[in-house]
Amino acid sequence: MALKRGLSSAGVQRNRASGSRFPVAILIFFSLLVPLIFFVGRGLHISDQNDILSSPGEKNVDWRERLALQHVKSLFSKEVIDVIAANTNDMGPLSLDFFRKNNLSASWKVNGEKTSITDKINFTAVDARQETPKVKVDVSSGDHAQLVDPAKLARRQLREKRREKRANELVQQDDESIVKLENAAIERSKSVDSSVLGKYSIWRKENENENSDSTVRLIRDQIIMARVYLSIAKMKNKLDLFQQLQTRLKESQRSVGDATADADLSQSAPEKIKAMGQVLSKAREQLYDCNLVTGKLRAMLQTADEQVRSLKKQSTFLSQLAAKTIPNGIHCLSMRLTIDYYLLSPEKRKFPRSENLENPNLYHYALFSDNVLAASVVVNSTVTNAKDPSKHVFHLVTDKLNFGAMNMWFLLNPPGKATIHVENVDEFKWLNSSYCPVLRQLESAAMKNYYFKADHPTTLSSGASNLKYRNPKYLSMLNHLRFYLPQVYPKLDKILFLDDDIVVQKDLTGLWAVDLHGKVNGAVETCGESFHRFDKYLNFSNPHIARNFDPNACGWAYGMNMFDLKEWKKKDITGIYHKWQNMNEDRTLWKLGTLPPGLITFYGLTHPLQKSWHVLGLGYNPSLDRSEIDNAAVVHYNGNMKPWLELAMTKYRGYWTKYIKYDHPYIRSCKLSQ
């Protein structure tokens, strides 16, 4: 139980402001109380709670005491009188000195679990001889009493007050912090941009939008709704409204034109928007029908979807067309070099160090290309990053059209101490239709019909499939010459084949030290994803393919391949290639290209190289890891976005352009720039 100030039954209040220990009212109160306590202490026993004057001890009470008892009865309740009587019987009368000595107010009271005063208050008699007075507190929940120092009780009370005050402050701080958070959230919500949902109406411009094309989109939306209501107005014979809509529609179309941003619009655009909004509002009031509007919008959506598909086909067709053609600058370069080459005397057309061409102890490269600029990058990047360029030999093969240009470029720009030699594929007399199945097929009427006429529409809307068959590389022997390396270079033991769309970034001599474990081809595998496996390139519904190959076998990359020409000859790789080419004359095993026959020819004969030797995808994949590109020995621009084309990805083009001498007079005159 805790002590609280104030004796409620007597209505006594402690005077906090004055600081006086015994106010006058309290002294008067105790002057009346003392006689009562005195005679009760003498042995008076109050047994009848209803009438105190009818007590058996009434005859021993003089007239003063009876008068006091009468006053007491009017002042105190029965419960207070019972408490006084009980404590007086047990421990003697209460002493007023107890309160004076301990500087405590007589207004203290003890609170327990119940509100009854008889259950909460017990005052102990105080012996005046004691140095430290004690208060006996009867704990209602227990059977025993304990003595407590009033000073300690006062200190405890103060501590409890401080704790309660601190708790209230903390609660108040929590409430304040919650209010602050709520206010901050409200402020943030006010600043949230709702532009995602759109800040404009197709009827009128209600709010400004931060997007640079918001006005353009508003006009286009108005045009769509105008077309809807135009058809409904015509259907319902609303000729006046039809004319108004038609007029505003033409004005809005002229206003927006080909604009893609608000800055492209004319100054009269806001007026056109306002006028169109007024007509649309009028049309909505007169013509709006949910079913009709929904049907018209659905029909327009279907038409737009068909147009998008058609445009995608045309875009794919044109992108492939751009990828397979030679830019004007490169064509100009080739023509100028060709003219200058044939103006040279025969003795000036020869390259130095021709004795290295058949030396098997040197590092030999095979490069087959009709692109002068691309071939120059391959050679320049390889020599630049070689530890000892004098040990590197480049074997270039091109067609008759670009033979002079290739020679002239490397005569003007020799690759340092490296050896280079250029040949014309049309001068390989052994490469004829009687020996080569591909040449025989290309010369046949059926193949010409397959490539150019049969089932191949000529319009752009037909899409990209037609262009695949017209790709010049499928008709050029430069593309198929890779299957005849031992015939082209009979004196060599190993040769590194390079495509003309690669860039060399490190010294490649370590590839000649790689143990191929008896395999013919060393290449980087490309089976990280399902579309790089055999079933992507070969027709496994054909029994010849299904019986001999695993559809889940890993593909590998052409573009940087180390070929062991000794093992090639032992295993008759060219004969295997001829066998499968003859079986595919009707194109039932694979359709086009050199990778499918390469996968078949070198099946089980390819040794996987570490992926850091060769990184692919710079011509089609915009999400390659930059660190993989930087750490690769060779980067390959396989795909349509070749680095010499305008459609090349800008983020990858720098790896290629840094090996071009843009200050060369031929390059400047042909307007080739970064």
Side-chain angles (χ1 to χ4, degrees):
M1 292 183 297
L3 291 174
K4 292 187 178 179
R5 289 171 296 180
L7 186 60
S8 61
S9 61
V12 181
Q13 298 291 330
R14 182 180 180 181
N15 190 351
R16 298 179 181 176
S18 64
S20 174
R21 296 181 181 178
F22 298 100
V24 175
I26 296 177
L27 291 177
I28 296 172
F29 166 76
F30 277 105
S31 66
L32 296 174
L33 183 63
V34 169
L36 174 63
I37 296 174
F38 175 76
F39 77 77
V40 171
R42 291 170 52 192
L44 178 63
H45 177 70
I46 303 175
S47 60
D48 189 357
Q49 296 182 0
N50 295 325
D51 190 1
I52 189 171
L53 296 178
S54 63
S55 169
E58 185 178 359
K59 60 182 180 178
N60 297 324
V61 181
D62 60 13
W63 64 273
R64 295 185 183 86
E65 293 172 349
R66 284 197 301 270
L67 182 61
L69 287 174
Q70 291 176 358
H71 289 289
V72 167
K73 182 178 179 180
S74 63
L75 291 175
F76 297 103
S77 66
K78 298 177 182 179
E79 294 177 344
V80 175
I81 295 173
D82 291 342
V83 170
I84 295 173
N87 283 278
T88 304
N89 291 338
D90 294 337
M91 304 183 64
L94 291 173
S95 173
L96 195 61
D97 294 336
F98 165 80
F99 301 101
R100 293 193 181 97
K101 288 182 178 180
N102 292 281
N103 297 325
L104 294 176
S105 172
S107 62
W108 284 11
K109 69 177 181 178
V110 180
N111 285 347
E113 296 180 356
K114 299 181 180 180
T115 58
S116 174
I117 299 178
T118 57
D119 295 334
K120 296 178 181 178
I121 305 177
N122 264 326
F123 293 95
T124 61
V126 180
D127 188 353
R129 294 171 298 179
Q130 294 178 347
E131 295 180 358
T132 304
K134 302 291 182 178
V135 177
K136 180 180 179 182
V137 181
D138 185 12
V139 183
S140 61
S141 60
D143 297 333
H144 61 279
Q146 58 180 350
L147 296 177
V148 180
D149 187 350
K152 292 182 179 180
L153 288 175
R155 289 193 296 272
R156 184 185 303 172
Q157 181 182 15
L158 292 175
R159 286 196 298 269
E160 289 176 354
K161 286 183 178 180
R162 286 196 295 268
R163 292 193 190 101
E164 184 178 359
K165 182 179 179 181
R166 180 57 180 165
N168 292 332
E169 291 176 353
L170 292 175
V171 171
Q172 185 177 3
Q173 290 178 2
D174 290 341
D175 293 339
E176 292 175 356
S177 62
I178 292 173
V179 171
K180 289 181 180 179
L181 290 174
E182 291 175 348
N183 293 334
I186 292 172
E187 292 300 323
R188 286 196 301 271
S189 66
K190 292 179 181 178
S191 64
V192 173
D193 186 10
S194 60
S195 61
V196 176
L197 301 177
K199 289 186 177 180
Y200 63 89
S201 168
I202 64 172
W203 310 103
R204 59 189 179 278
K205 195 170 183 180
E206 295 177 341
N207 297 296
E208 294 295 331
N209 195 295
E210 295 178 359
N211 296 333
S212 61
D213 63 340
S214 61
T215 306
V216 173
R217 291 190 292 118
L218 172 60
I219 297 176
R220 295 192 186 281
D221 287 348
Q222 286 183 334
I223 290 173
I224 292 173
M225 293 307 301
R227 287 173 177 170
V228 171
Y229 285 121
L230 194 68
S231 60
I232 297 176
K234 186 176 182 181
M235 181 190 307
K236 294 188 176 183
N237 200 25
K238 299 283 186 178
L239 299 181
D240 293 341
L241 188 57
F242 178 85
Q243 291 294 336
Q244 294 179 30
L245 286 168
Q246 196 171 42
T247 302
R248 298 305 178 191
L249 180 60
K250 291 179 180 179
E251 290 178 354
S252 295
Q253 289 174 336
R254 287 194 298 267
S255 176
V256 70
D258 296 328
T260 57
D262 293 354
D264 301 332
L265 295 173
S266 62
Q267 295 181 353
S268 62
E271 297 178 1
K272 300 291 190 282
I273 292 173
K274 183 178 180 180
M276 175 63 87
Q278 293 173 352
V279 176
L280 286 175
S281 298
K282 183 178 179 181
R284 184 180 186 183
E285 293 175 359
Q286 298 183 20
L287 303 175
Y288 184 78
D289 184 297
C290 184
N291 292 331
L292 282 176
V293 172
T294 303
K296 294 294 181 181
L297 288 174
R298 187 180 294 111
M300 292 175 64
L301 180 62
Q302 184 175 357
T303 303
D305 186 54
E306 293 175 356
Q307 292 177 351
V308 168
R309 284 198 298 268
S310 176
L311 291 173
K312 282 184 177 180
K313 288 182 179 180
Q314 294 184 30
S315 175
T316 305
F317 183 95
L318 293 174
S319 64
Q320 289 196 11
L321 182 63
K324 308 311 176 188
T325 54
I326 299 297
N328 288 335
I330 297 179
H331 180 71
C332 166
L333 177 64
S334 180
M335 293 299 100
R336 291 180 64 88
L337 290 169
T338 300
I339 293 170
D340 290 349
Y341 175 75
Y342 287 107
L343 293 176
L344 289 177
S345 58
E347 60 272 12
K348 292 183 178 180
R349 298 179 185 177
K350 296 181 180 180
F351 290 99
R353 296 181 289 275
S354 59
E355 66 278 4
N356 293 334
L357 295 177
E358 296 182 349
N359 185 352
N361 297 320
L362 300 178
Y363 306 114
H364 294 265
Y365 301 86
L367 176 60
F368 308 145
S369 175
D370 58 358
N371 188 326
V372 176
L373 194 63
S376 70
V377 170
V378 175
V379 174
N380 190 20
S381 63
T382 305
V383 172
T384 301
N385 293 286
K387 294 180 180 178
D388 187 358
S390 63
K391 294 183 179 181
H392 295 260
V393 181
F394 295 91
H395 302 268
L396 270 70
V397 180
T398 187
D399 55 16
K400 180 169 54 179
L401 181 63
N402 294 282
F403 177 73
M406 278 295 182
N407 277 279
M408 191 63 191
W409 177 264
F410 289 106
L411 287 171
L412 293 174
N413 305 280
K417 297 180 180 180
T419 302
I420 194 166
H421 180 60
V422 181
E423 296 179 271
N424 181 3
V425 68
D426 297 315
E427 294 179 357
F428 294 162
K429 301 303 180 183
W430 52 270
L431 195 62
N432 50 58
S433 58
S434 61
Y435 175 68
C436 178
V438 172
L439 272 177
R440 183 171 63 252
Q441 294 170 12
L442 291 177
E443 292 175 357
S444 67
M447 182 64 73
K448 291 178 181 178
N449 188 53
Y450 176 76
Y451 272 102
F452 296 107
K453 295 181 181 179
D455 300 325
H456 301 313
T458 57
T459 61
L460 285 176
S461 60
S462 64
S465 59
N466 184 26
L467 190 62
K468 292 182 179 179
Y469 299 98
R470 298 183 179 216
N471 192 333
K473 73 178 184 179
Y474 298 134
L475 305 177
S476 172
M477 277 310 299
L478 283 176
N479 198 44
H480 296 272
L481 194 61
R482 64 190 70 191
F483 294 103
Y484 299 95
L485 289 173
Q487 287 80 3
V488 181
Y489 311 110
K491 300 291 183 68
L492 301 180
D493 297 332
K494 278 188 173 183
I495 195 166
L496 183 65
F497 173 79
L498 297 176
D499 266 344
D500 62 356
D501 56 352
I502 63 101
V503 175
V504 178
Q505 300 187 127
K506 294 183 180 180
D507 181 66
L508 300 180
T509 56
L511 286 169
W512 276 265
V514 174
D515 186 2
L516 299 181
H517 300 282
K519 305 296 178 63
V520 180
N521 175 28
V524 171
E525 290 184 336
T526 58
C527 55
E529 300 180 20
S530 60
F531 62 84
H532 284 147
R533 299 186 183 273
F534 270 46
D535 58 355
K536 171 64 178 178
Y537 305 101
L538 304 176
N539 178 22
F540 275 86
S541 63
N542 187 288
H544 296 291
I545 298 295
R547 185 167 51 247
N548 292 281
F549 305 102
D550 178 10
N552 292 318
C554 289
W556 44 267
Y558 258 135
M560 189 208 72
N561 306 82
M562 175 59 69
F563 291 112
D564 187 334
L565 300 183
K566 286 185 177 181
E567 291 294 330
W568 185 307
K569 296 172 186 176
K570 288 180 184 179
K571 295 180 171 59
D572 190 19
I573 297 299
T574 304
I576 296 173
Y577 167 71
H578 283 173
K579 169 192 170 184
W580 286 103
Q581 278 288 2
N582 288 325
M583 293 174 64
N584 193 46
E585 188 169 357
D586 57 356
R587 295 164 304 282
T588 58
L589 305 184
W590 68 87
K591 291 295 182 183
L592 302 167
T594 55
L595 182 56
L599 297 175
I600 290 177
T601 302
F602 295 101
Y603 183 70
L605 300 173
T606 300
H607 174 73
L609 299 176
Q610 292 183 0
K611 292 187 180 296
S612 60
W613 281 111
H614 186 191
V615 170
L616 299 98
L618 278 74
Y620 71 90
N621 187 358
S623 58
L624 291 174
D625 189 347
R626 182 73 69 170
S627 62
E628 289 185 8
I629 298 175
D630 295 336
N631 295 327
V634 171
V635 292
H636 194 172
Y637 291 84
N638 59 316
N640 289 334
M641 300 179 184
K642 302 298 183 186
W644 55 83
L645 300 174
E646 291 185 2
L647 51 82
M649 283 184 276
T650 307
K651 62 188 297 186
Y652 300 144
R653 201 164 184 265
Y655 295 100
W656 189 80
T657 56
K658 70 179 181 179
Y659 293 105
I660 297 177
K661 300 176 181 178
Y662 284 99
D663 58 345
H664 195 282
Y666 283 90
I667 292 179
R668 287 205 312 268
S669 63
C670 289
K671 299 180 180 180
L672 287 166
S673 60
Q674 290 179 298

